[in-house]
Amino acid sequence: MGDSGPERVLIAASFVNRVGNGLFNAAAALYFTLIVGLPAAQVGGALTIAGVVGLCAGVPGGHFADRRGARTIMMVALVVQAVSMAALVLVESWTMLTVVATVDQIAAAVGGAAWGALVARVGRDRPARFRAKLRTFVNLGVVLGTVGAGLALAAGTRGAYVALILGNAASFALCGALLLLLPRYPVLPAPPQERRLLAFRDRPYLVFTVLYGAMGLQYPVVSLLLPIWIAEHTEAPRWTVAALFAVNSAFCVLLQTRIGSRIETPHDGGRAFRTAGLLFLVSCPLMALAGYTPVWAAAALVLAAVFVHSLGEVWESSAGYALGFGLAPEHAQGQYQGLLGLGFSAGQALAPAILTTVVLGLGATGWLLLALCFAALGAAGPSVARWGLRTRPQPAVAVEATS
């Protein structure tokens, strides 16, 4: 756990919340299609509308958290999510699903930005080490929640699905209650005459947001693209799909603190981003090669590729923390984290279409193009870090930029 009381509180709150997310996310689509009886196209449409509307709320919500207090805004968002999540058990129509899911996604975007600002305040002494530990427990929470969801899915009853949804709602409420144990951090004053929504005019940060969102394509590679590739293009046994999730989760949990705690400054983050791109440059061709080898060789290649990819994921997430927090002004962490979340969420929304049409459509060539794309994105990391450091107004950061 964390080294201080506030760190331990925020880690515990995040862990509880992500256990709930793991319970719900693995079963949400099946609940609305199999139990409620809505057509899959309607479910997808409702969640897409909710997601798009939610994207627009992150930066304004983050700015509100900067000016009104991150803890307060995050607690309000968690209460709204607890209520909206519980309301999902009452959904019987597409319209109701769209309304409830939209409210939930708006609260999630606002809460995510406020969470980023709160992380910045709680982990100020040793930010890299704290954020690495935080991500370790977040990953572990998702894994445990997913295991619980698997048990409910095996039961397949309405009661089991409702238990998952209400469990997620309870996790939001418990997370909010735990935040009461945090100090009430004073709002940091903004410089005189500073315009609102400063993040949208910060060109280095905007460029990094685009890079970070594009590099985020690496997450659906393991959760979406590789399982389809294994099933349709390799001789690897089907249990390999389950094994790759276990390997990915285990290595991210085990290695996040060890690697992430060393990546503290934006300069470190730029180099880590480049390292991540190089690791993905190795992992993607290994995944492609599995489609052209005998059965056990294919299984071995897939597991080796996931191991390398997991290393890249740890380096990439650590780089995101170092640059995402390090380049943001302390008084505007909320809106900057909201912008970063906007870029990441937009990338995740586009990822399924890009990966399934371009990569799967081109086969091995698609995998190689994806690898080169990741490497090119990573190669830009050090330059963006230097650019960002040169344009920061803080004297301490300016010294680092010129050293």
Side-chain angles (χ1 to χ4, degrees):
M1 296 290 281
D3 296 324
S4 68
E7 288 183 5
R8 288 191 291 271
V9 169
L10 193 56
I11 288 174
S14 300
F15 173 78
V16 167
N17 187 223
R18 291 311 175 95
V19 170
N21 292 164
L23 289 173
F24 176 72
N25 292 341
L30 292 178
Y31 171 74
F32 295 120
T33 54
L34 299 181
I35 304 301
V36 179
L38 295 176
Q42 288 190 10
V43 174
L47 297 180
T48 298
I49 292 171
V52 170
V53 174
L55 285 177
C56 303
V59 179
H63 175 71
F64 198 56
D66 291 328
R67 304 278 59 85
R68 294 292 183 269
R71 190 190 74 155
T72 299
I73 299 304
M74 186 175 176
M75 289 174 62
V76 171
L78 287 168
V79 170
V80 173
Q81 284 193 276
V83 173
S84 62
M85 185 58 55
L88 287 177
V89 303
L90 305 176
V91 165
E92 295 181 352
S93 66
W94 177 84
T95 301
M96 189 174 181
L97 173 60
T98 303
V99 171
V100 174
T102 299
V103 172
D104 176 73
Q105 287 301 302
I106 291 173
V110 173
W115 178 86
L118 201 54
V119 168
R121 298 299 295 273
V122 171
R124 291 183 78 178
D125 294 334
R126 299 190 66 184
R129 181 175 177 82
F130 169 59
R131 292 163 195 160
K133 284 187 176 182
L134 183 62
R135 182 169 174 81
T136 296
F137 281 90
V138 162
N139 287 334
L140 183 59
V142 172
V143 171
L144 293 178
T146 303
V147 170
L151 298 176
L153 290 175
T157 64
R158 182 183 184 91
Y161 281 98
V162 168
L164 293 179
I165 294 173
L166 295 181
N168 192 22
S171 77
F172 288 119
L174 181 55
C175 179
L178 287 171
L179 293 184
L180 288 171
L181 301 176
L182 288 177
R184 185 171 299 197
Y185 295 100
V187 172
L188 298 177
Q193 299 181 339
E194 179 180 280
R195 296 180 182 178
R196 293 184 177 183
L197 303 185
L198 173 67
F200 283 121
R201 294 186 298 278
D202 191 331
R203 287 184 293 175
Y205 203 91
L206 285 170
V207 170
F208 173 66
T209 296
V210 172
L211 294 176
Y212 186 67
M215 189 73 96
L217 289 176
Q218 60 92 4
Y219 290 101
V221 165
V222 174
S223 63
L224 173 67
L225 182 60
L226 187 54
I228 297 175
W229 180 258
I230 290 172
E232 297 183 356
H233 297 276
T234 78
E235 298 296 326
R238 297 298 174 258
W239 58 259
T240 309
V241 174
L244 69 90
F245 283 112
V247 170
N248 177 245
S249 300
F251 276 108
C252 288
V253 168
L254 293 173
L255 297 175
Q256 186 70 58
T257 300
R258 182 181 297 273
I259 293 174
S261 60
R262 302 197 303 265
I263 303 170
E264 296 185 342
T265 67
H267 182 66
D268 296 336
R271 291 185 298 180
F273 205 68
R274 179 177 59 197
T275 300
L278 294 175
L279 288 167
F280 297 142
L281 180 64
V282 174
S283 66
C284 289
L286 287 177
M287 295 174 187
L289 188 59
Y292 303 91
T293 55
V295 53
W296 294 109
L301 278 172
V302 167
L303 293 177
V306 171
F307 168 69
V308 177
H309 198 88
S310 300
L311 284 174
E313 181 178 330
V314 171
W315 282 97
E316 184 264 351
S317 63
S318 301
Y321 277 143
L323 286 163
F325 286 97
L327 295 180
E330 289 301 318
H331 69 277
Q333 284 285 355
Q335 62 166 293
Y336 272 71
Q337 301 314 311
L339 176 60
L340 196 62
L342 169 62
F344 180 80
S345 298
Q348 296 303 290
L350 295 173
I354 295 173
L355 295 179
T356 56
T357 57
V358 177
V359 179
L360 287 181
L362 295 176
T365 301
W367 281 104
L368 294 177
L369 289 175
L370 184 64
L372 292 172
C373 176
F374 284 142
L377 291 170
S383 297
V384 171
R386 289 192 295 269
W387 181 22
L389 289 169
R390 285 196 306 269
T391 57
R392 300 307 93 176
Q394 294 89 342
V397 175
V399 171
E400 180 185 349
T402 58
S403 62

